[in-house]
């Protein structure tokens, strides 16, 4: 019996000693449910910036202008909860100077950041026509969003989210939750609004070492019960 106990203790020790640290998996947004705000597309010199799909996938040369007061809900594939961090990359041309508030000094744009932990939503109920160069579906999300009663977890200013500044990251671990969607709501005071190049999230899976540790503890508990019966 002592030999078996020693083996169990050794298993626990080996599990903790040799377990590799868990790394967060990163997911780029694969779907966007866009409720565009006020825009001035006729004056834009960037072709396609009215295309919400430009905000999907990894960062590239394309971006989407939310429009003043616009709302965007980002979903990720595989559709699973995230719990580690949210990252957003914004585009403001010639953002070479950033104010103390975190805005590009020559063009002020910002957006509120929300995370959603409820059940998956059927957004087809909120479809509101098409928009953009490829007739992308857009949505009327005001009532849905206001009904959630969410509190913004941060305000993202374009200077701190601009690609030249390395982008914006929010650490979710302090919130202690698991989330399904990232929601951005434009706060800009000028048309076209916050310009999104990409959004990503990360999640830390349960390390296999924890599962092995649990199994070892279970074995030790079984041995203890057998010993008491004897």
């Amino acid at each position: 019996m002592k030999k078996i106990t020693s083996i169990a203790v050794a298993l626990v020790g080996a599990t903790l000693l040799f377990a590799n640290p868990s790394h967060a998996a990163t997911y780029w947004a694969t779907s966007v449910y866009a409720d565009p705000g006020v825009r001035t597309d006729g004056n834009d010199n960037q072709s396609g910036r009215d295309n919400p799909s430009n905000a999907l996938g990894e960062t590239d040369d394309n971006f989407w202008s939310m429009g003043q007061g616009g709302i965007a809900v980002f979903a990720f594939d595989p559709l699973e909860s995230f719990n580690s961090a949210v990252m957003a990359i914004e585009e403001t041309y010639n953002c070479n100077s950033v104010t103390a508030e975190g805005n590009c000094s020559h063009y002020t744009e910002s957006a509120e950041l929300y995370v959603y932990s409820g059940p998956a939503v059927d957004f087809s109920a909120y479809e509101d026509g098409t928009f953009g160069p490829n007739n992308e579906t857009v949505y009327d999300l005001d009532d849905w969003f206001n009904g959630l009663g969410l509190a913004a977890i941060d305000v993202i200013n374009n200077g701190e989210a601009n690609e030249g500044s390395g982008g914006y990251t929010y650490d979710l671990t302090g919130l202690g939750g698991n989330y399904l969607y990232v929601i951005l709501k434009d706060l800009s005071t000028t048309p076209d609004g916050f310009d999104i190049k990409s959004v990503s999230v990360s999640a830390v899976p349960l390390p296999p070492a924890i599962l092995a540790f649990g199994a070892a503890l279970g074995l030790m508990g079984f041995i203890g019960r057998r010993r008491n019966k004897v």
Side-chain angles (χ1 to χ4, degrees):
M1 183 64 67
K2 289 182 179 180
K3 183 177 181 180
I4 296 176
T5 304
S6 298
I7 292 173
V9 172
L11 177 59
V12 173
T15 296
L16 296 177
L17 181 62
F18 296 108
N20 292 322
S22 174
H23 296 287
T26 298
Y27 302 93
W28 298 91
T30 53
S31 300
V32 56
Y33 304 97
D35 186 351
V38 176
R39 310 181 49 84
T40 58
D41 296 312
N43 298 323
D44 287 347
N45 57 15
Q46 175 71 24
S47 175
R49 65 189 293 178
D50 57 348
N51 183 351
S53 297
N54 283 348
L56 302 180
E58 298 187 39
T59 304
D60 53 25
D61 293 333
N62 299 316
F63 63 90
W64 170 54
S65 296
M66 292 182 64
Q68 185 180 1
I71 299 172
V73 180
F74 292 92
F76 308 85
D77 187 20
L79 189 65
E80 61 179 73
S81 59
F82 52 91
N83 55 18
S84 179
V86 173
M87 184 179 73
I89 304 292
E90 198 268 353
E91 176 69 71
T92 296
Y93 288 127
N94 302 317
C95 183
N96 300 319
S97 176
V98 178
T99 67
E101 293 76 21
N103 290 302
C104 294
S105 57
H106 70 291
Y107 214 90
T108 302
E109 298 172 342
S110 59
E112 289 179 323
L113 171 66
Y114 300 82
V115 285
Y116 171 89
S117 61
V121 177
D122 179 8
F123 285 100
S124 64
Y126 304 98
E127 290 182 4
D128 191 37
T130 58
F131 190 76
N134 299 314
N135 291 322
E136 290 82 15
T137 301
V138 294
Y139 303 82
D140 184 356
L141 299 177
D142 285 311
D143 290 342
W144 172 78
F145 174 76
N146 293 331
L148 295 176
L150 296 177
I153 61 174
D154 204 5
V155 173
I156 309 174
N157 296 307
N158 60 344
E160 59 191 0
N162 199 260
E163 186 172 16
S165 302
Y168 164 92
T169 301
Y170 186 91
D171 183 357
L172 295 169
T173 56
L175 301 182
N178 292 283
Y179 306 96
L180 193 62
Y181 303 131
V182 169
I183 304 174
L184 295 179
K185 188 176 189 302
D186 181 78
L187 291 180
S188 304
T189 57
T190 57
D192 293 337
F194 199 71
D195 303 313
I196 307 171
K197 298 193 75 169
S198 63
V199 175
S200 68
V201 296
S202 57
V204 178
L206 184 65
I210 297 299
L211 301 178
F213 178 61
L217 290 180
L219 176 60
M220 292 181 67
F222 172 76
I223 292 171
R225 288 193 297 273
R226 288 291 301 272
R227 176 182 293 175
N228 291 336
K229 287 183 179 180
V230 172

